Amino acid sequence: MYLCIPKKAAHRVLAAVLCAAAAGGVLLGLGWPRAEAEPAAVAVASYEWGLSFQTENEPPIPNLSAEKLRPFDAFYCGDAEQKRLYLTFDAGYENGNTAPILDALKKHNAPGTFFVVGSYIKENPDLIKRMVAEGHTVGNHTYHHPNMSQKDEASFKKELNDLAALFQETTGTPLPLFYRPPEGKFSDENLTWAQELGYKTIFWSLAYVDWKQDAQPSREAAFDKLMPRTHDGAIVLLHSTSATNAAILDELLTRWEEMGYTFGTLSELGAPPAAPAA
């Protein structure tokens, strides 16, 4: 059956239909909208972790506060009232600097956490096993090191689960549930999804530019950056690819010990404070 509509009225009806379709964002090319079109995704906040160091030997100001992170089991520092440091190393690949870093940690009986990717485990199983044997923690830096803030839930969880499975296959033990977002890029949803998998998300409160292979800092430059930024409860981020870090770590740990610091494990974060000794 056909309906007869005056020409002017027909134009008005057609214009109304086109405007409605365009406003709904569903007019694609020359096709008409499908009745089953999905609603647009709800936007969530995404971030790139950043710090502002304002006062020497005081905690920096982050772009997301500890209070906002805590409900997600996410941390960037420990107890600011404790002379405690938490040593972490991001390990995206191996270039010969991890062994001397492990040597320095062993000399000082200092535990570290190495956040690794899938290729690192595949190519360096002996180093991974050494980390575990010497009492260090291996954490999840994702399988492929992507920008996780752009992942949907299934892809996000697959990155973490695939890395955990490879670690267990390599070592025979479960991966400790600590996660560090690649390049510090994350979203609100990422924090929720990591928590749903049982992870603590670990950022940092002390770092310096140590990852550029063609512009490694000198010993003096490294200490000039690290020492004024050292503060109680700091989660320290160093890269295990840094020749400078490998060369100075023994001296760096000695200096921190002389300042009264001890070295903790990430399992302490979020735990209730220990009861005072009797």
Side-chain angles (χ1 to χ4, degrees):
M1 182 177 70
Y2 296 90
L3 294 177
C4 294
I5 303 176
K7 186 174 182 181
K8 289 184 178 179
H11 288 170
R12 287 196 296 269
V13 170
L14 179 59
V17 170
L18 291 173
C19 289
V26 293
L27 186 60
L28 305 178
L30 298 177
W32 290 99
R34 298 180 301 170
E36 69 275 19
E38 297 180 357
V42 177
V44 296
S46 60
Y47 313 89
E48 183 169 350
W49 186 250
L51 299 168
S52 174
F53 294 90
Q54 299 191 352
T55 305
E56 284 195 5
N57 301 121
E58 292 292 333
I61 298 175
N63 57 351
L64 207 61
S65 70
E67 290 71 26
K68 290 184 179 179
L69 292 172
R70 192 173 297 114
F72 300 100
D73 292 324
F75 303 88
Y76 78 96
C77 65
D79 187 346
E81 302 299 321
Q82 298 288 327
K83 299 287 288 184
R84 201 89 160 137
L85 301 177
Y86 302 90
L87 307 175
T88 71
F89 301 86
D90 283 5
Y93 59 95
E94 180 52 43
N95 60 358
N97 291 310
T98 301
I101 286 173
L102 288 169
D103 292 342
L105 294 173
K106 185 174 183 179
K107 177 179 177 180
H108 290 263
N109 196 28
T113 298
F114 291 82
F115 286 98
V116 303
V117 297
S119 58
Y120 191 96
I121 297 177
K122 283 186 173 182
E123 295 167 9
N124 306 282
D126 290 341
L127 279 173
I128 293 291
K129 292 173 184 177
R130 179 182 172 186
M131 293 170 189
V132 174
E134 294 183 358
H136 303 297
T137 300
V138 176
N140 200 323
H141 204 33
T142 73
Y143 199 95
H144 295 104
H145 201 268
N147 179 350
M148 294 292 272
S149 70
Q150 297 180 353
K151 295 292 184 181
D152 61 22
E153 182 176 3
S155 300
F156 178 94
K157 291 183 175 180
K158 180 173 171 57
E159 282 286 338
L160 271 62
N161 289 336
D162 286 355
L163 191 284
L166 179 60
F167 176 85
Q168 180 148 5
E169 177 186 329
T170 302
T171 65
T173 59
L175 180 76
L177 297 180
F178 300 101
Y179 160 62
R180 172 164 286 159
E183 299 182 352
K185 295 178 180 178
F186 66 104
S187 69
D188 291 335
E189 287 182 333
N190 290 170
L191 298 177
T192 297
W193 297 334
Q195 187 179 43
E196 288 173 353
L197 292 175
Y199 283 88
K200 291 180 179 179
T201 299
I202 307 298
F203 297 102
W204 59 90
S205 63
L206 173 56
Y208 78 118
V209 180
D210 62 347
W211 61 85
K212 296 180 179 179
Q213 289 302 295
D214 57 350
Q216 279 290 287
S218 66
R219 171 188 169 279
E220 293 76 15
F223 281 110
D224 286 348
K225 286 293 186 182
L226 289 169
M227 301 314 293
R229 296 179 177 182
T230 299
H231 60 90
D232 296 356
I235 296 178
V236 183
L237 165 59
L238 300 172
H239 285 80
S240 63
T241 54
S242 168
T244 299
N245 290 341
I248 71 168
L249 188 59
D250 180 18
E251 182 181 357
L252 180 61
L253 297 177
T254 298
R255 289 201 191 187
W256 279 335
E257 289 167 337
E258 291 172 349
M259 295 169 66
Y261 283 107
T262 57
F263 307 106
T265 63
L266 296 183
S267 59
E268 299 172 11
L269 301 177

